[in-house]
């Protein structure tokens, strides 16, 4: 939520700019948005009509760059480097940060080897510096670096722009969670009623025993 | 609303909160200890 | 009007001090109102002491038969139960603090002291009773508050008691009915000897509009911390101590039974039987209390496990 609040103004600013620019002038906008240190969400900019109109034109490469930053990773860029424009260092950094978010989507424990391979990092020190300075300090991930087991335990990762095909599983997970919570509430309610009933029965039983004891005492005396 | 979807996506990625054998072992041990205390209390009651 | 309680009427307080209605009635003060701020500060201070007793002073005013505690401050002393006059180490601090307060515009005077009993309940020990008697001789109106931070965590609500001692030699007309609390075996003598020398006051709480607003803002942080913690894990030592104490009490009760002159075949006298029953009944109640707290802790763990760990992507 903090992440989203920080990005809200930036997204509005870029979307407004995108609506007023067309054609080749959008190139600088795309470059600025993908290099900005505090922006990690691009769906809103991507859905601006002026950008969608770039599809199939000579400037469609900028649209592809934006899509890469919205959904892709550093490996996707490397495999398509020929088609896409050269990324400046800030953009490369941004894409690597987004790659970490994508990896955190599938696994909570990210081995150093996998991270080094995906991010093109030479050694562990560099990787840890990147994770701490560029990811944790930026607020996009929170976690623990386990040097002994050589892995990064992710406790929180900011959400990337969702793809349409991901919505189905998100809805299913939310539904399951809702059903589990409802069932839990029903169980708690049942247990409460059971506890009340048992307490009443207990009291009644205790009173019966006490009355019987009194009766026996009276009979005896 | 993309912002909401991103937040939901981030939240759902955190589930399950803890999923490891060690946690299950510790959890079940706590469970057993509490049940043992309950058993002892019932015996004391008797 | 909700914040009217925070207004300090110096003239009225001075008049009350001159009238001294408590002199003729040892039971004059019956109620205590503690502000949310003072309560938070006292509990946090008590909890920060861990297993060591800590103490502090309370500032406030009086209102009829009620003592109103507006604020509290910690004293730089520890281990109040092990020394006769732990307060003596902090006299200079107390004087400096009170003077600085007045300069800063805080008009309330010191109306009492608080200290912690980590893990052994809210009552006044022999040392506490003599300290409070001395305070009531020279610093009236004065209140003694005891907080148990360990039981606060295990029970999930603040374990606090407010007390005032009777004057020397005074016999209260009837035994006050106090809420039962379990006392560890090693403290039970100290508790029993002095329990008739003081009485407890009813405690209520109040907060200002600003306090309500700030607490609302802090609510998110508070419930996340509560959800993340577990009394089962945090209070393990205390529970182990409780069970050990319970075992000792059971052994003691068993020894009483076996050492009584009349064996189990012959019915003991009614009085002895009542005594044994009440001792065993107390033990049973203690064991039920320990168990209930454990079960509550486990229930919260199970519910958290179902809610947050059983849902898969």
């Amino acid at each position: 939520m903090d992440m989203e609040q920080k990005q809200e103004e930036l997204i509005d600013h870029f979307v407004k700019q995108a609506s007023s620019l067309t054609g080749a002038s959008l190139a600088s906008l795309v470059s600025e948005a993908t290099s900005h240190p505090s922006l990690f969400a691009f769906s809103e900019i991507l859905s601006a009509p002026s950008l969608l109109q770039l599809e199939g034109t000579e400037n469609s490469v900028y649209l592809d760059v934006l899509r890469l930053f919205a959904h892709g990773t550093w490996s996707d860029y490397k495999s398509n480097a020929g088609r896409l424009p050269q990324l400046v260092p800030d953009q490369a950094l941004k894409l690597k940060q987004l790659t970490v978010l994508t990896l955190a989507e599938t696994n909570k424990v990210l081995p150093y080897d996998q991270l080094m391979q995906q991010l093109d990092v030479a050694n562990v020190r560099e990787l840890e510096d990147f994770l701490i300075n560029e990811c944790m300090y930026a607020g996009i991930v929170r976690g623990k670096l386990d040097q002994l087991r050589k892995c990064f335990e992710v406790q929180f990762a900011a959400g990337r722009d969702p793809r349409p095909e991901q919505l189905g599983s998100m809805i299913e997970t939310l539904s399951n969670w809702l059903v589990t919570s409802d069932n839990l509430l029903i169980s708690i309610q049942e247990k409460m009623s059971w506890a009340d009933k048992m307490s009443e029965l207990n009291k009644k039983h205790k009173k019966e025993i006490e009355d019987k004891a009194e009766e026996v005492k009276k009979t005896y005396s | 609303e993309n912002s909401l979807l991103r937040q939901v996506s981030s939240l759902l990625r955190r589930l399950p909160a803890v999923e490891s054998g060690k946690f299950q072992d510790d959890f079940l041990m706590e469970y057993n200890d509490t049940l043992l205390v309950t058993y002892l209390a019932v015996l004391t009651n008797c | 009007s909700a914040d009217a309680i925070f207004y300090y009427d110096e003239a009225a307080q001075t008049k009350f001090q001159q009238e001294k209605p408590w002199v003729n009635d040892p039971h004059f003060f019956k109620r205590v109102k503690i502000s949310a701020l003072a309560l938070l500060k006292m509990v946090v201070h008590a909890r920060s002491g861990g297993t060591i007793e800590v103490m502090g002073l309370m500032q406030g005013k009086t209102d009829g038969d009620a003592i109103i505690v507006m604020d509290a401050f910690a004293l730089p002393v520890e281990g109040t139960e092990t020394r006769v006059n732990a307060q003596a180490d902090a006299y200079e601090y107390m004087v400096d603090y009170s003077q600085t307060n007045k300069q800063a515009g805080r008009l309330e005077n010191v109306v009492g002291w608080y200290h912690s009993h980590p893990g052994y309940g809210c009552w006044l020990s022999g040392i506490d009773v003599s300290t409070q008697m001395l305070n009531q001789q020279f610093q009236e109106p004065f209140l003694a508050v005891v907080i148990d931070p360990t039981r606060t965590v295990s029970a999930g609500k603040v374990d606090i008691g407010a007390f005032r001692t009777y004057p020397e030699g005074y016999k209260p007309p009837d035994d006050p009915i106090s809420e039962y609390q379990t006392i560890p075996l090693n403290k039970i003598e100290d508790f029993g000897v002095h329990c008739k020398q003081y009485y407890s006051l009813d405690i209520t709480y109040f907060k200002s509009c600003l306090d309500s607003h700030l607490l609302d803002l802090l609510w998110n942080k508070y419930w996340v911390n509560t959800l993340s913690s577990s009394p089962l894990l945090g209070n393990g030592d205390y529970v182990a101590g409780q069970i050990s104490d319970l075992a000792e009490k059971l052994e003691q009760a068993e020894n009483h039974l076996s050492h009584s002159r009349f064996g189990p075949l012959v019915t003991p006298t009614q009085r002895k039987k009542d005594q044994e029953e009440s001792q065993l009944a107390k033990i049973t109640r203690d064991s039920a209390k320990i168990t209930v707290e454990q079960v509550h802790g486990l229930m919260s763990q199970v519910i958290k496990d179902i809610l947050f760990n059983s849902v898969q992507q």
Side-chain angles (χ1 to χ4, degrees), chain C residues 17-308:
Chain C
Q17 287 274 3
Q18 285 163 355
E19 282 168 7
K20 296 190 190 351
W22 55 82
V23 168
N24 300 321
D25 182 5
H27 224 281
F28 178 76
F29 289 109
K30 295 182 180 55
R31 300 176 294 133
V32 176
K33 289 183 189 175
I34 302 180
S35 73
L37 173 72
L39 182 72
L40 274 170
K41 283 169 88 169
M42 291 193 288
V43 173
V44 167
H45 179 218
R47 186 73 187 146
S48 71
T51 50
I52 301 173
E53 296 96 358
V54 294
M55 69 183 285
L57 292 181
M58 302 182 291
Q59 294 166 300
K61 57 184 182 179
T62 52
D63 179 19
D65 64 353
I67 296 179
I68 301 172
V69 176
M70 309 296 290
D71 196 4
F73 62 94
L75 290 178
V77 291
E78 279 179 351
T80 52
E81 299 298 316
T82 52
R83 297 180 287 165
V84 173
N85 192 5
Q87 267 178 333
D89 287 354
Y91 282 148
E92 204 180 314
Y93 182 90
M94 279 190 245
V95 166
D96 279 345
Y97 194 97
S98 301
Q99 280 175 349
T100 319
N101 256 246
K102 290 274 186 312
Q103 285 168 10
R106 159 145 268 154
L107 305 170
E108 288 95 4
N109 294 317
V110 169
V111 290
W113 67 300
Y114 70 90
H115 68 288
S116 63
H117 279 183
Y120 51 99
C122 298
W123 45 279
L124 292 183
S125 65
I127 294 175
D128 296 338
V129 165
S130 47
T131 308
Q132 177 62 10
M133 271 180 173
L134 202 66
N135 282 326
Q136 282 184 214
Q137 256 190 311
F138 299 110
Q139 273 191 278
E140 281 280 52
F142 217 76
L143 177 71
V145 161
V146 182
I147 295 170
D148 187 339
T150 315
R151 288 189 187 183
T152 297
V153 169
S154 68
K157 60 174 186 139
V158 180
D159 195 24
I160 188 171
F163 310 101
R164 275 179 60 81
T165 50
Y166 295 122
E168 191 81 45
Y170 175 81
K171 260 199 160 43
D174 47 35
D175 275 339
I177 303 162
S178 55
E179 201 183 307
Y180 172 79
Q181 58 175 332
T182 166
I183 310 288
L185 215 54
N186 58 355
K187 302 273 182 190
I188 213 159
E189 210 176 302
D190 196 5
F191 169 77
V193 166
H194 302 283
C195 64
K196 299 254 189 277
Q197 292 177 293
Y198 56 89
Y199 69 97
S200 65
L201 292 83
D202 295 326
I203 303 178
T204 51
Y205 307 99
F206 64 94
K207 55 186 175 185
S208 68
C209 303
L210 179 63
D211 287 338
S212 303
H213 180 60
L214 289 172
L215 289 169
D216 283 342
L217 290 174
L218 284 171
W219 176 245
N220 275 350
K221 193 168 177 185
Y222 167 72
W223 75 255
V224 168
N225 277 341
T226 306
L227 217 60
S228 322
S229 65
S230 164
L232 286 184
L233 303 169
N235 254 10
D237 288 343
Y238 166 69
V239 173
Q242 289 287 89
I243 295 177
S244 160
D245 185 64
L246 195 70
E248 280 173 26
K249 283 179 180 166
L250 263 173
E251 220 176 291
Q252 206 183 58
E254 195 194 0
N255 286 338
H256 275 144
L257 275 172
S258 60
H259 287 153
S260 66
R261 189 178 292 188
F262 302 99
L265 296 171
V266 180
T267 318
T269 60
Q270 190 66 18
R271 204 170 55 118
K272 241 188 197 167
K273 193 177 173 204
D274 281 343
Q275 267 180 346
E276 291 312 314
E277 271 179 352
S278 77
Q279 195 178 13
L280 279 174
K282 278 182 194 165
I283 290 168
T284 320
R285 218 183 316 184
D286 291 347
S287 80
K289 181 173 161 285
I290 295 168
T291 313
V292 159
E293 284 174 1
Q294 287 291 290
V295 169
H296 279 163
L298 182 67
M299 274 191 325
S300 76
Q301 293 290 80
V302 169
I303 288 170
K304 280 188 279 186
D305 185 51
I306 293 172
L307 269 179
F308 300 117

Side-chain angles (χ1 to χ4, degrees), chain A residues 10-11 13-15 17 26-42 45 51 66 69 90-91 94 98:
Chain A
L10 285 168
I11 292 170
H13 162 73
F14 282 115
V15 164
Q17 268 202 307
L26 284 165
S28 61
L29 174 82
V30 168
S31 177
E32 200 188 325
T34 51
S35 323
H36 198 287
S38 303
L39 185 62
F40 297 93
F42 305 95
I45 307 170
L51 269 159
L66 205 55
F69 274 77
D90 285 344
Q91 285 175 311
K94 166 78 53 202
L98 292 167

Side-chain angles (χ1 to χ4, degrees), chain B residues 12-19 23-24 27 30-31 34-35 37-38 41 44-45, chain C residues 232-233 243 250 283-284 287 290-291 294-295 298 301-302 305 308-309 311-313:
Chain B
L12 292 179
R13 298 281 170 251
R14 298 181 81 169
L15 298 175
V18 181
E19 197 183 29
F23 170 77
Q24 280 301 320
F27 180 66
E30 281 297 332
Y31 210 131
T34 309
L35 292 178
V37 168
T38 317
T44 314
N45 248 348
Chain C
L232 286 184
L233 303 169
I243 295 177
L250 263 173
I283 290 168
T284 320
S287 80
I290 295 168
T291 313
Q294 287 291 290
V295 169
L298 182 67
Q301 293 290 80
V302 169
D305 185 51
F308 300 117
N309 290 343
V311 180
Q312 301 286 339
Q313 289 294 320

Side-chain angles (χ1 to χ4, degrees), chain A residues 9 35 52 197 221:
Chain A
E9 268 183 41
S35 323
L52 292 172
K197 204 171 73 175
S221 62

